Amino acid sequence: MTARQPRAEPVQPSLLSGFPAAEPPPSGPRPASSLPVARVCVESPLPQLDRPFDYLVTEELDAAAVPGVRVKVRVAGREHVGFLLERLGSSDSGVRLSPLGAVLSPLPVLAPEIAELARAVAERWAGALGDVLRFAVPPRAARVEAEFAARGDDVAVPASPAHDAAQPGDAVGPPAAGAKNAAGPEQVPGGWDRLHNGAAYLRHLAAGGSPRAVLQAVHGYGPDAWPHTIARAVVAARSSGRGALVVVPDRRDLLRVHSALEAALPGERIVRLSAEDGPSTRSRGFLELLSGAAHVAVGTRGAAFAPVRDLGLVVCWDDGDDLHIEPRAPYFHAREVLLLRSEQTGCALLLAGHAVSVEAERLVESGWLHRVAAERSVLRAAVPRVTSTADSVESARDPLARIARLPHTAWQVAREALAIGPVLVQVARAGYAPSLACGRCREPARCRHCAGPLAEQASGRERLVVCRWCGTPELAFSCRVCGGKSLRRTAIGALRTAEELGRAFPGALVVTSSGDAVKSELEGGPALVVATVGAEPVAPDGYAAALLLDGDALLRRESLRAPEEALRRWLNAAALVRSASEGGRVVITAGEGEAVAALVRWDPAGFAGRELALRRELALPPAVRIAAVTGAMADVEAFLAAAQDVLAHPGVRVAGPVEGDPAQALVFFPIASGPAVTRGLHGVRVALAARRTGGPVTLRVDAPDLL
C-alpha cells in the first residue's frame, strides 16, 4: 500500500477574488500636459510619405516643440528630418503614437504664412509638401541660429495675414527708419512718370493698396533702367510701412537690383537670397527677414518663399525666363508662386520685363492684372531704330542679305556706330564652332567613342576637334555614313564670330561674353562686344548699336515657345541700346515672321495677344493646363489606367503614351478643372507607390519645355 498523503489545510478565499490585478504604472515617456500631439511633415522623396504624421510630445520637449521648428522623427524604422506643422489636443490616427524624436533647433523657421503657401504650391504642381519645404526653408546653419538665439531675436511669426491684409485706404504701420525718404516716391528715378498708369500704380501702392500690374520696361541702362524702376516701386511699398520681395532670374540681375535698392533705401538692410552665396549667408538673411530685422529681399527663384513680414509687394522680373523654373520636383515656376502669394496675402504684384509673356497677357485680358506701359509717342523717342534685313527694302538693296550671316547693312551700321560708342553683337551659341558635319554628305559629325557631337574648340592659335560629351579629341575623323574625312562648320559660336569681326574691323577692340566668361558690365570706350543670348553686358551709357545675329537659329528651336523666347531675348538686348534720337540702331538678321515684326514695331504686348489667341484656338498652354507622366512604358500605362476617374473630367484629353527613353503621356485639362485634376493625379501616384505594384513615374505639371 502506498502511504496516505497529508490532508491539505483549507484556504480562506480572498475578499478581492475575481477583480483584475492593478496595472503597473506606464514606463514610457510622459505626454505633455497641453496639446500633446505634434503633426509633422517629413522630408522624403517617397510619394507614400507625402502626408502629415502625428507624434507624441513628451514633457521634456513640450517647451521646445512649437510649430515651425525642425524635428527628428522615426517613420517605418528610419529617422527623418521634418517640420512641426501644428500642435493638437488629440490624434485621429487610431494608433498608439510614437514619441517625437528630437527638436533640432529651437527657432521656428517655418512661418505659418509660408507653410500655407507651401501647401498651395504642392497642390498646384501635384507635388509633395516636403519637396516644397526644401526650397521654402534654407538648410540649417547651426552657428547662425546660435547667434540669433544668443541675441534673443524674436523669430516667432504671427498667424498668416491672408484674411486681414491691408486694403486700399486702410491704416498701416509707420515706415522703417531706412524708409524715411520713401514718402515721396517721385523723388526716386525709374521712369514711372512716362508710363501709362505708372504714377497711379505708385500712388495706390504708397497709400497701402495692393494693385496688380504687368510692367513693360523700356530702358536697360542708365538712371531709368529697369532696376531703378523696380526700386521705385519697392520704395513706394516701404513708404506704407510694408515689406517687399523681388525675384530675378540670375545672379547678374540680382546684383543690379540689389545695388539699386541700396541706393533707393539708404540705411535699410536689403537681404540678398541666392544659393551661390553659401548656406551661412543665406540662412542669416532668411532669419533677418523672419525676425523682422529686414523688410526687403531680392533673390533668385527660391526667394519666392522668403518670409518677409507685413508683405506689401512682390515683383517678378522677366517672368518669361526659363531660369524661373525649378528643375527639381515639384518643378514650380517663381512667377506662379508669387501669383499664389499675392492671392493668399492680398499684397501688390508686379510682373515686369521688356517683353510680355503669354501667361501674363492672359491675366491682363482676364482683368486680374492691369497694364503699365509707355505710350507709342514715348516709345518712339525712347527706343532705338530697329531694322530687319529680311524686309523688302533691305532685300532690294542687298539680295544676299537673307543668307549672309553679317549682311552689308549690319556691317555698315556697326562701322558707323563704332565711331560714337560700343556695338553689341548677339549670337546664338557659345564656343568656337559648336556643331560640325561631314564635308561630303553633311551628316552630323559624331564621336567614335560615345557617338556624341563633335565640336571645334579654340586653344590659343590651334583648333581642336573634340567630343562635346566625353571631351575626347578627334585626330582622324572618318564619317560613319560615307567615309568622308573632311569636316564643315554648321554653326558658328561666339569665339569664332569674334575672330571674324576682328578681321572685318581691324583695329577695333573685340570683347566676348559667353560660357564661363560672362561679363556684367562693359568698361572703356568703343568696342565690339560679342555675347551669347542672355549674357550681354551693360554699357553704362548704352550701346551705339546692336547686331542680332543667328535670329533664324533661335526661331528654329523645336519648341512651342520659340518665337516668344526669341522676341524676349531680342528685346532684352535692344533695350541696352541708346534711343533713336541719340543715333541708336538695332539690326536683326532673321526671316520674316511675327516675332521679327513685333521687334521692329516694339510691340511685345501685341505679339503676346496674338500668340494667346492662337493657343486658345489650338487648346494649348496657357489656354489650358498640361501634365506630363514619364517613366517606363508599362508604368505609364498602369498610371493612366489607374487614373481613369480623373481623366474622365470634362475637357480632359490624353496624348500618348509615346515610346521613348523614357515613355511619356501628356494630359491636357481646362484651367477651371486644374485643382481637381492635379489633386487626383497626385493621389493616383501616391496610391501606386504605396502598393508598390509597378515602377515609379514622374509627374510634371505646366512645365514650359513639354511642348
Side-chain angles (χ1 to χ4, degrees), residues 197-263:
N197 292 330
Y201 183 91
L202 288 188
R203 286 196 302 270
H204 196 182
L205 191 59
S210 300
R212 299 187 293 252
V214 169
L215 169 68
Q216 292 176 224
V218 178
H219 292 290
Y221 72 96
D224 288 338
W226 63 265
H228 300 292
T229 304
I230 290 176
R232 188 169 178 179
V234 172
V235 167
R238 290 297 296 128
S239 69
S240 67
R242 298 176 294 171
L245 169 62
V246 182
V247 178
V248 296
D250 56 31
R251 185 172 180 81
R252 292 195 310 148
D253 293 336
L254 173 63
L255 295 177
R256 293 188 68 189
V257 176
H258 186 265
S259 176
L261 289 173
E262 286 186 325

Side-chain angles (χ1 to χ4, degrees), residues 246-251 254 273-275 298-304 323-324 334:
V246 182
V247 178
V248 296
D250 56 31
R251 185 172 180 81
L254 173 63
L273 296 175
S274 173
V298 56
T300 49
R301 58 178 176 264
L323 291 178
H324 283 300

Side-chain angles (χ1 to χ4, degrees), residues 177-574:
K180 57 182 179 294
N181 296 326
E186 47 283 320
Q187 300 174 359
V188 184
W192 282 88
D193 52 343
R194 291 185 291 175
L195 299 175
H196 179 65
N197 292 330
Y201 183 91
L202 288 188
R203 286 196 302 270
H204 196 182
L205 191 59
S210 300
R212 299 187 293 252
V214 169
L215 169 68
Q216 292 176 224
V218 178
H219 292 290
Y221 72 96
D224 288 338
W226 63 265
H228 300 292
T229 304
I230 290 176
R232 188 169 178 179
V234 172
V235 167
R238 290 297 296 128
S239 69
S240 67
R242 298 176 294 171
L245 169 62
V246 182
V247 178
V248 296
D250 56 31
R251 185 172 180 81
R252 292 195 310 148
D253 293 336
L254 173 63
L255 295 177
R256 293 188 68 189
V257 176
H258 186 265
S259 176
L261 289 173
E262 286 186 325
L265 294 169
E268 182 162 353
R269 173 79 168 103
I270 310 297
V271 170
R272 195 172 70 191
L273 296 175
S274 173
E276 298 179 3
D277 289 334
S280 296
T281 302
R282 186 182 175 197
S283 179
R284 181 174 288 106
F286 178 86
L287 292 177
E288 287 177 345
L289 293 170
L290 196 62
S291 64
H295 293 84
V296 179
V298 56
T300 49
R301 58 178 176 264
F305 298 93
V308 180
R309 285 196 177 187
D310 302 321
L311 187 61
L313 172 67
V314 290
V315 182
C316 183
W317 167 253
D318 203 6
D319 66 285
D321 196 318
D322 55 9
L323 291 178
H324 283 300
I325 306 169
E326 175 53 48
R328 296 169 292 176
Y331 315 105
F332 63 82
H333 194 295
R335 174 193 60 230
E336 305 299 324
V337 175
L338 294 181
L339 291 176
L340 289 173
R341 196 162 185 184
S342 175
E343 186 72 18
Q344 170 188 314
T345 64
C347 68
L349 171 72
L350 186 64
L351 300 182
H354 296 299
V356 178
S357 66
V358 180
E359 289 80 5
E361 185 64 22
R362 184 182 71 84
L363 294 175
V364 172
E365 291 189 5
S366 70
W368 201 82
L369 291 178
H370 296 281
R371 195 185 308 280
V372 177
E375 300 284 0
R376 298 303 303 176
S377 58
V378 176
L379 276 179
R380 283 193 292 269
V383 302
R385 176 189 169 194
V386 182
T387 302
S388 171
T389 58
D391 65 25
S392 57
V393 176
E394 294 299 326
S395 297
R397 291 177 180 174
D398 184 4
L400 300 179
R402 290 177 178 268
I403 61 175
R405 187 158 188 264
L406 187 66
H408 177 74
T409 299
W411 178 86
Q412 185 176 3
V413 166
R415 182 176 62 84
E416 295 173 355
L418 276 174
I420 57 175
V423 175
L424 174 65
V425 182
Q426 185 193 69
V427 297
R429 300 175 181 88
Y432 190 81
S435 179
L436 299 174
C438 173
R440 179 192 296 175
C441 68
R442 304 298 194 261
E443 186 72 15
R446 294 289 177 177
C447 174
R448 69 178 68 184
H449 301 283
C450 70
L454 295 181
E456 189 177 1
Q457 293 183 354
S459 177
R461 295 189 175 183
E462 296 183 357
R463 303 290 177 262
L464 301 177
V465 176
V466 299
C467 175
R468 284 163 48 190
W469 289 0
C470 66
T472 304
E474 180 57 76
L475 304 179
F477 170 75
S478 178
C479 179
R480 296 184 177 185
V481 177
C482 69
K485 306 296 183 182
S486 62
L487 289 167
R488 68 184 299 270
R489 302 183 182 103
T490 58
I492 303 299
L495 298 180
R496 173 68 180 178
T497 303
E499 184 179 284
E500 294 176 348
L501 290 175
R503 291 195 294 264
F505 297 93
L509 175 65
V510 180
V511 179
T512 60
S513 177
S514 65
D516 297 331
V518 175
K519 296 177 175 57
S520 299
E521 190 169 331
L522 182 66
E523 298 179 359
L528 282 167
V529 182
V530 182
T532 52
V533 288
E536 302 88 355
V538 179
D541 298 324
Y543 288 97
L547 310 181
L548 308 180
L549 307 183
D550 304 333
D552 288 328
L554 294 178
L555 294 172
R556 283 197 302 264
R557 290 176 55 217
E558 294 183 1
S559 170
L560 175 68
R561 298 173 180 268
E564 178 186 353
E565 176 67 9
L567 178 60
R568 187 185 67 83
R569 297 287 194 181
W570 295 336
L571 286 171
N572 286 348

